[in-house]
C-alpha cells in the first residue's frame, strides 16, 4: 500500500515490519520522530526514551544480544555519546538483529556541528546503509535487520536532515513477527576481555569482507547506465540531486556506504572517460576511490561545508545557474532568527542573569537561544552537559573569584543526559560554582518529549518523577534552592545569594514550558 | 508533468500541515510526491518553508531557484525570501499579514513598508490575499494554513471532493469541521 511518510516515519515503519521488539533512543533533531512514530503507531514494539544515547544504545544492544530484534535512534552528535558501546559491540556482534539509526545534519539546521558520521562506520568497522529517499529509508531499515543477523553485525542506517525530514511515497507491507532467540551462554563472544577481543577483531574484519562481497550482487549498490561517458558516484540525498540535474550520465549509486564496493567502483571507472563523486560534507567516498588509485573529481568542485541541492550540483557539474528574471527586492530584508517564545520561562532567567552581568556557561536546548539579542547571556556552549563541567574548568583556570560572577545553565533533560556527572565533579574537586537547572517539565527544543523528570514515559505510562533536589543533595551539594521564575525579585535575590556563596550550589528554576498544555 | 510548490511562513503558522494535505491529494491522484520541511531550532519563531513537488517521477525533495510554479507565503516579509525560487510564469499567493521578526521588535531593523508595491510591480501573477475577515468568521487564526491552501486549490487540477477527502485524512478529527470550513473559505476567495 502506498502512503506519504516522513523519512523518519518510514524508518519506524521499516523496523516495525522487520519485527523489531525493542527500540530505545534519545531525542535529537533530525532523528526524534522515529521513536515518536513508533510509540504512536506500533505498540507491539517496546519503545522508550532513555536518559542519553549511550544508555539507549546499550539498552537496545542488550536486547539484541539477549535475543530480540532491536533498534536505537539518535542524531549525529548523539552517536558521539554512544561511541563507546558502539566500538565494542561491533566486536561482540548480536544474537538477533540490531540496527543503529544515525541522523546527520548537514547544514547544521538544528545542531552544533556538521560532523560526517560515515567515518564512524569505517572506524568502528560496522556496515552502514544510506537511503536516498523515504521509501529507501523504509526498505533499508527493514533490510538492516536481516543483514545484522546474517552477518552477525550491528548495522548502521545513516540518514541526513533531507531524508529524515522529507516526505515521500512509501510502498509499505505487513509486520512479520521475529523470533525471540535464546540467549546463548558464550562468554568468548559476549565478554570482551582482551583474550576474547583479539580473535573477535579477526572475525569483524572477515565479516566486513563478506559484506563487501554481498554488496556486489545484492543490488544494494547499482550502476545506472546513461548515454554519456561521464560517470558520477553518489549516495544518499545527493543521488536525487544528481538524477535531477544529470539524467543522461552514468551513475553508481552507493546504498551500502561501508564497506565500499571496490570491484564495482573499478568497473564503473573503466566504463567512463571522466569520473565525479557527488557527496555532502567530507570526501568520504572520494578519498576511498583515490586510495584505489583511480582519478576522480569531487571536492574540487563540490562544497565541503553545508548541504547540497540541485542548484549547487547543476552549477558544479553542468555549469548551469538557475534564476528567474524577477528584479530582486532592493531594500534590506530583516532576518528572522529563531527566538525564545513569548512568555518562555527561560527568558525570565536570562533577564535576571543579565542584570547581574554574569558569565554564562550554556548548554544544548531552547535556552541556547539566550545567546542571541536581547539577552546576549551565554558565553560558552559545546555539547550536552558541558555547561556544568566547563563551569568547573573556568573556576580551575581563574580561581574561586570567577565562580562568584558566573553560572552554568542547563535544562532538565540535558542535566539528566550528562550534567549530573559534571555536578559530582564540581563537588568532588572542590568547585564552588552555581548551576541553574532550567526545569520546564519537558524536553523542549525537540518538540516536548517526556524524560525521567516529567513523570511519564514515551508511551505515556506513568513513571516516578526524578527529584532534582534530592539528586543534587545526594551529590553532596548543600545549597539547593527551587524557585519559580515569575517571582522575579526572588529569582534575582537567590541568584545573587547563591553565586556569592563560597560552596557549590544548584538553583532549580521550575516552570512549565509555555507551549506545553 | 511536474508541479513545484513552496509554502513559507513563520514557525507555528502550520506550513507543514498545508503541505501534508496537498501531498495526500496528489498521491491519491496517482502522482509521485516529495516534500522537504524544517524542524527543531529553526522552527522557534524563525522562517519556515515546505517544498512540495508532485509529478510523474520526482527526485529531489527541494525546489531549484526559478522553478517554483507556486509560492504560497503565509506572511508578507517571508514572500521576499522566496522570490528567487518563483518561475517567470509562476504565481505568488501572499497573505496580507505582518509578523515582526525579533530584530524589528528590538528596533534594530525596520519592517519594509513597500513589500506590496514591490510585489505588484515585479510579480506578474500575484494574489495578495486578505484573510483577516475570513479567519474571524471561522473563529480561529490557526486555520490560516488551510485557508491559503484553499486559495491555491483554485490553481491546481484536483476536484473539491478530492481536496476535502485529504483534509479529512490529514487533520485531527476534532478539527476536521473547522478545516473544511477554512478550505472552502479559501477556495471561494477569488482567483
Amino acid at each position: 500500500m502506498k502512503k506519504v511518510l516522513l523519512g523518519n516515519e518510514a524508518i519506524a515503519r521499516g523496523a516495525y515490519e522487520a519485527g523489531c521488539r525493542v527500540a530505545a533512543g534519545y531525542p535529537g533533531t533530525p532523528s526524534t520522530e522515529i521513536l515518536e512514530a513508533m510509540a504512536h503507531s506500533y505498540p507491539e514494539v517496546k519503545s522508550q526514551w532513555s536518559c542519553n544515547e549511550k544508555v539507549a544504545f546499550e539498552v537496545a544492544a542488550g536486547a539484541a544480544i539477549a535475543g530480540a530484534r532491536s533498534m536505537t535512534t539518535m542524531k549525529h552528535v548523539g552517536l558521539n555519546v554512544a561511541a563507546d558501546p558502539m566500538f565494542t559491540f561491533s566486536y561482540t556482534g548480536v544474537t538477533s538483529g540490531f540496527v543503529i539509526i544515525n541522523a546527520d545534519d548537514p547544514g547544521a539546521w538544528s545542531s552544533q556541528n556538521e560532523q560526517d558520521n560515515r567515518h564512524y562506520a569505517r572506524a568502528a568497522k560496522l556496515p552502514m546503509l544510506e537511503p536516498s529517499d523515504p521509501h529507501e529509508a523504509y526498505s533499508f531499515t527493514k533490510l538492516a535487520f536481516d543483514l545484522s543477523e546474517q552477518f552477525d553485525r550491528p548495522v548502521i542506517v545513516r540518514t541526513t536532515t533531507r531524508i529524515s525530514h522529507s516526505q515521500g511515497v512509501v510502498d509499505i507491507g505487513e509486520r512479520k513477527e521475529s523470533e525471540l532467540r535464546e540467549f546463548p551462554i558464550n562468554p568468548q563472544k559476549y565478554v570482551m576481555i582482551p583474550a576474547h577481543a583479539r580473535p573477535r577483531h579477526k572475525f569483524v574484519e572477515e565479516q566486513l569482507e563478506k559484506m563487501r562481497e554481498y554488496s556486489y550482487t545484492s543490488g544494494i549498490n547499482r550502476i545506472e547506465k546513461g548515454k554519456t561517458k561521464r560517470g558520477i558516484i553518489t549516495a544518499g540525498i545527493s543521488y536525487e540531486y544528481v538524477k535531477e540535474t544529470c539524467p543522461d550520465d552514468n551513475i553508481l549509486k552507493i546504498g551500502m556506504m561501508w564497506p565500499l564496493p571496490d570491484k564495482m567502483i573499478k568497473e564503473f571507472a573503466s566504463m567512463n572517460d571522466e569520473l565525479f563523486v557527488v557527496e555532502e560534507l567530507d570526501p568520504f567516498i572520494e578519498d576511498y576511490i583515490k586510495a584505489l588509485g583511480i582519478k576522480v573529481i569531487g571536492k574540487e568542485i563540490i562544497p565541503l561545508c553545508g548541504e547540497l541541492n540541485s542548484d549547487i550540483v547543476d552549477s558544479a557539474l553542468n555549469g548551469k545557474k538557475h534564476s528567474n528574471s524577477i528584479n530582486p527586492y532592493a531594500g534590506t530584508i530583516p532576518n528572522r532568527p529563531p527566538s525564545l517564545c513569548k512568555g518562555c520561562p527561560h527568558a525570565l532567567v536570562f533577564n535576571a542573569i543579565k542584570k547581574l552581568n554574569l558569565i554564562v556557561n550554556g548548554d544544548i536546548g531552547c535556552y541556547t537561544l539566550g545567546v542571541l539579542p536581547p539577552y546576549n547571556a551565554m558565553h560558552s556552549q559545546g555539547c550536552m552537559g558541558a555547561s556544568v563541567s566547563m563551569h568547573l574548568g573556568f573556576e580551575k583556570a581563574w580561581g574561586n573569584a570567577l565562580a562568584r560572577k558566573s553560572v552554568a545553565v542547563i535544562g532538565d533533560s540535558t542535566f539528566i543526559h550528562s550534567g549530573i556527572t559534571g555536578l559530582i565533579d564540581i563537588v568532588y574537586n572542590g568547585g564552588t560554582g552555581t548551576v541553574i537547572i532550567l526545569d520546564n517539565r519537558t524536553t523542549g527544543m525537540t518538540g516536548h518529549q517526556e524524560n525521567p523528570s516529567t513523570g511519564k514515559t514515551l508511551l505515556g505510562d506513568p513513571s516516578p518523577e526524578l527529584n532534582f533536589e534530592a539528586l543534587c543533595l545526594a551529590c553532596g551539594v548543600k545549597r539547593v534552592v527551587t524557585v519559580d521564575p515569575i517571582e522575579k525579585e526572588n529569582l534575582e535575590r537567590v541568584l545573587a545569594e547563591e553565586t556569592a556563596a563560597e560552596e557549590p550550589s544548584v538553583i532549580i528554576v521550575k516552570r512549565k514550558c509555555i507551549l506545553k498544555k | 508533468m511536474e508541479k513545484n510548490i513552496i509554502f513559507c511562513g513563520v514557525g507555528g503558522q502550520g506550513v507543514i500541515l498545508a503541505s501534508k494535505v496537498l501531498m495526500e491529494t496528489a498521491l491519491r491522484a496517482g502522482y509521485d510526491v516529495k516534500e522537504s520541511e524544517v524542524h527543531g531550532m529553526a522552527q522557534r519563531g524563525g522562517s519556515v518553508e515546505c517544498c512540495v513537488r508532485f509529478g510523474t517521477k520526482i527526485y529531489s525533495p527541494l525546489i531549484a531557484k526559478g522553478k517554483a510554479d507556486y509560492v504560497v507565503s503565509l506572511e508578507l516579509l517571508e514572500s521576499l525570501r522566496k522570490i528567487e525560487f518563483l518561475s517567470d510564469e509562476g504565481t505568488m499567493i501572499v497573505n496580507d499579514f505582518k509578523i515582526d521578526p525579533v530584530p524589528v521588535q528590538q528596533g534594530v531593523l525596520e519592517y519594509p513598508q513597500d513589500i506590496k508595491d514591490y510585489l505588484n510591480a515585479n510579480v506578474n501573477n500575484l494574489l495578495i490575499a486578505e484573510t483577516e475577515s475570513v479567519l474571524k468568521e471561522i473563529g480561529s487564526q490557526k486555520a490560516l494554513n488551510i485557508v491559503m491552501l484553499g486559495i491555491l486549490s483554485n490553481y491546481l487540477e484536483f476536484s473539491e471532493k478530492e481536496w476535502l477527502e485529504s483534509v479529512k485524512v490529514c487533520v485531527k478529527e476534532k478539527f476536521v469541521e473547522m478545516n473544511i470550513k477554512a478550505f472552502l473559505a479559501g477556495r471561494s476567495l477569488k482567483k
Side-chain angles (χ1 to χ4, degrees):
Chain A
M1 187 178 65
K2 284 185 176 176
K3 275 187 93 161
V4 174
L5 292 180
L6 190 67
N8 280 345
E9 293 168 345
I11 289 170
R13 179 74 202 187
Y16 163 76
E17 288 184 17
C20 179
R21 288 166 171 266
V22 178
Y26 185 81
T29 315
S31 73
T32 314
E33 301 79 8
I34 304 169
L35 283 196
E36 288 185 325
M38 202 67 127
H40 180 261
S41 305
Y42 313 120
E44 295 91 332
V45 183
K46 288 175 188 154
S47 303
Q48 65 167 63
W49 290 129
S50 291
C51 296
N52 65 34
E53 294 85 354
K54 179 181 186 299
V55 174
F57 191 110
E58 291 158 350
V59 168
I65 286 172
R69 281 195 163 192
S70 303
M71 176 170 82
T72 185
T73 70
M74 58 201 67
K75 69 183 290 175
H76 61 339
V77 287
L79 197 57
N80 299 336
V81 179
D84 191 8
M86 175 174 65
F87 276 78
T88 300
F89 290 120
S90 167
Y91 277 32
T92 65
V94 299
T95 306
S96 284
F98 178 35
V99 175
I100 303 155
I101 308 288
N102 163 88
D104 281 11
D105 188 17
W109 285 94
S110 195
S111 300
Q112 61 268 47
N113 73 32
E114 286 191 290
Q115 71 183 55
D116 187 334
N117 276 9
R118 292 178 297 172
H119 298 292
Y120 266 133
R122 184 174 191 157
K125 300 177 184 296
L126 287 175
M128 175 182 268
L129 308 183
E130 181 156 4
S132 290
D133 62 17
H135 181 76
E136 280 191 351
Y138 155 81
S139 62
F140 282 16
T141 301
K142 211 169 159 178
L143 173 69
F145 282 92
D146 290 339
L147 294 181
S148 175
E149 286 173 4
Q150 189 183 339
F151 294 97
D152 190 6
R153 310 273 62 226
V155 176
I156 305 172
V157 176
R158 178 202 187 228
T159 76
T160 55
T161 300
R162 296 295 177 187
I163 302 295
S164 280
H165 287 167
S166 84
Q167 305 200 34
V169 182
V170 180
D171 199 0
I172 62 173
E174 294 298 322
R175 176 173 168 95
K176 197 173 149 236
E177 287 303 333
S178 64
E179 114 194 74
L180 185 59
R181 295 180 172 176
E182 192 158 340
F183 170 58
I185 301 299
N186 184 358
Q188 284 75 23
K189 183 171 176 353
Y190 289 129
V191 182
M192 280 303 102
I193 55 173
H196 296 167
R198 288 178 205 118
R200 285 305 291 183
H201 184 186
K202 283 191 193 129
F203 172 82
V204 167
E205 302 293 352
E206 286 162 12
Q207 293 311 93
L208 272 181
E209 285 316 307
K210 284 183 193 160
M211 294 198 79
R212 201 189 309 278
E213 288 298 321
Y214 163 88
S215 78
Y216 296 141
T217 52
S218 63
I220 186 92
N221 303 317
R222 65 170 185 261
I223 290 172
E224 296 177 4
K225 287 198 174 134
K227 299 173 198 151
T228 69
K229 295 294 270 178
R230 183 163 83 160
I232 303 168
I233 300 175
T234 187
I237 190 67
S238 305
Y239 165 80
E240 307 293 338
Y241 305 143
V242 169
K243 287 296 282 185
E244 187 89 23
T245 55
C246 309
D248 294 334
D249 293 330
N250 301 312
I251 294 173
L252 169 53
K253 181 188 183 299
I254 305 283
M256 187 182 282
M257 186 52 70
W258 195 256
L260 281 165
D262 299 26
K263 270 200 289 195
M264 274 179 110
I265 292 169
K266 286 176 188 159
E267 180 200 333
F268 186 69
S270 71
M271 282 167 53
N272 292 288
D273 293 341
E274 44 177 359
L275 198 62
F276 292 84
V277 173
V278 178
E279 59 189 324
E280 271 178 337
L281 301 177
D282 294 346
F284 183 82
I285 303 173
E286 180 185 339
D287 286 353
Y288 190 86
I289 295 173
K290 284 179 173 164
L292 293 174
I294 297 167
K295 208 177 144 212
V296 65
I297 298 167
K299 291 298 161 184
E300 293 92 336
I301 57 166
I302 301 290
L304 189 60
C305 305
E307 288 190 302
L308 300 182
N309 56 43
S310 30
D311 286 313
I312 294 171
V313 174
D314 214 4
S315 163
L317 285 160
N318 304 323
K320 274 193 209 159
K321 287 249 184 288
H322 298 176
S323 61
N324 55 24
S325 50
I326 302 172
N327 297 319
Y329 180 71
T332 305
I333 305 174
N335 58 347
R336 200 183 287 277
S339 57
L340 292 175
C341 305
K342 213 174 165 188
C344 173
H346 301 333
L348 301 167
V349 178
F350 286 116
N351 287 334
I353 287 173
K354 215 178 155 188
K355 248 186 171 170
L356 294 175
N357 205 18
L358 300 171
I359 291 174
V360 180
N361 288 306
D363 227 296
I364 308 281
C366 286
Y367 49 91
T368 314
L369 295 169
V371 68
L372 299 176
Y375 315 104
N376 304 306
M378 191 165 293
H379 309 100
S380 84
Q381 175 255 14
C383 63
M384 297 284 285
S387 60
V388 185
S389 10
M390 282 180 73
H391 197 46
L392 180 60
F394 270 60
E395 187 176 353
K396 292 286 170 186
W398 286 96
N400 291 8
L402 187 84
R404 302 290 74 76
K405 40 186 191 188
S406 59
V407 282
V409 168
I410 185 166
D412 45 28
S413 188
T414 310
F415 181 76
I416 296 163
H417 179 286
S418 47
I420 177 72
T421 42
L423 185 65
I424 294 170
D425 215 63
I426 287 180
V427 175
Y428 177 50
N429 287 304
T432 65
T434 301
V435 174
I436 300 177
I437 300 175
L438 297 169
D439 181 7
N440 66 349
R441 317 301 301 142
T442 190
T443 313
M445 178 62 86
T446 41
H448 295 146
Q449 288 73 34
E450 304 296 345
N451 68 53
S453 71
T454 64
K456 261 191 196 167
T457 67
L458 168 62
L459 299 173
D461 296 327
S463 67
E465 272 183 43
L466 181 77
N467 182 331
F468 285 118
E469 288 169 29
L471 182 65
C472 296
L473 288 168
C475 290
V477 180
K478 295 199 181 80
R479 304 180 68 101
V480 181
V481 197
T482 300
V483 295
D484 182 341
I486 60 161
E487 292 165 10
K488 288 182 194 170
E489 280 171 25
N490 187 45
L491 173 66
E492 283 167 27
R493 182 186 57 79
V494 168
L495 199 52
E497 269 176 27
E498 295 311 313
T499 48
E502 295 280 342
E503 59 175 313
S505 60
V506 174
I507 305 170
I508 300 160
V509 179
K510 197 167 176 176
R511 177 153 278 270
K512 204 167 72 171
C513 171
I514 191 80
L515 297 181
K516 190 137 166 94
K517 279 159 203 144
Chain B
M1 200 294 278
E2 161 187 318
K3 284 269 182 273
N4 299 322
I5 296 122
I6 296 177
F7 288 96
C8 60
V10 178
Q13 282 193 303
V15 296
I16 292 179
L17 181 65
S19 36
K20 183 108 195 155
V21 177
L22 169 56
M23 278 185 286
E24 182 68 28
T25 313
L27 174 76
R28 283 159 174 256
Y31 288 115
D32 189 17
V33 193
K34 286 236 173 104
E35 177 256 21
S36 182
E37 59 195 53
V38 173
H39 295 213
M41 181 174 268
Q43 264 184 311
R44 292 275 170 269
S47 304
V48 293
E49 67 165 65
C50 271
C51 297
V52 180
R53 308 185 63 202
F54 65 88
T56 324
K57 171 74 191 164
I58 302 294
Y59 289 106
S60 167
L62 296 173
I63 295 167
K65 286 175 187 163
K67 300 280 186 199
D69 299 296
Y70 303 95
V71 171
V72 181
S73 184
L74 277 60
E75 199 269 353
L76 271 171
L77 182 61
E78 294 310 309
S79 67
L80 297 181
R81 288 187 228 282
K82 294 295 154 207
I83 205 97
E84 62 177 337
F85 288 89
L86 191 66
S87 80
D88 285 338
E89 304 75 35
T91 298
M92 191 167 231
I93 305 168
V94 186
N95 182 28
D96 189 2
F97 184 69
K98 294 179 191 174
I99 299 174
D100 284 347
V102 173
V104 172
Q105 290 168 21
Q106 290 163 357
V108 180
L109 291 170
E110 264 179 47
Y111 196 103
Q113 297 303 312
D114 57 350
I115 298 177
K116 283 194 260 180
D117 295 340
Y118 162 78
L119 293 174
N120 276 315
N122 291 284
V123 179
N124 289 335
N125 305 312
L126 175 72
L127 175 70
I128 296 181
E130 206 282 294
T131 56
E132 213 178 314
S133 54
V134 172
L135 289 170
K136 234 176 233 166
E137 209 169 292
I138 298 164
S140 172
Q141 293 293 319
K142 287 203 163 166
L144 171 68
N145 51 357
I146 303 300
V147 171
M148 294 299 282
L149 183 73
I151 300 174
L152 174 72
S153 74
N154 290 311
Y155 297 84
L156 299 174
E157 65 190 73
F158 314 115
S159 72
E160 185 169 301
K161 191 171 162 241
E162 290 173 305
W163 283 106
L164 294 182
E165 279 302 311
S166 307
V167 170
K168 282 178 203 159
V169 171
C170 297
V171 170
K172 274 188 196 151
E173 213 182 319
K174 60 177 173 176
F175 298 121
V176 165
E177 204 182 318
M178 178 187 87
N179 279 293
I180 286 179
K181 220 167 136 188
F183 180 85
L184 293 174
R187 195 168 166 87
S188 66
L189 281 177
K190 247 195 190 160
K191 196 168 169 175

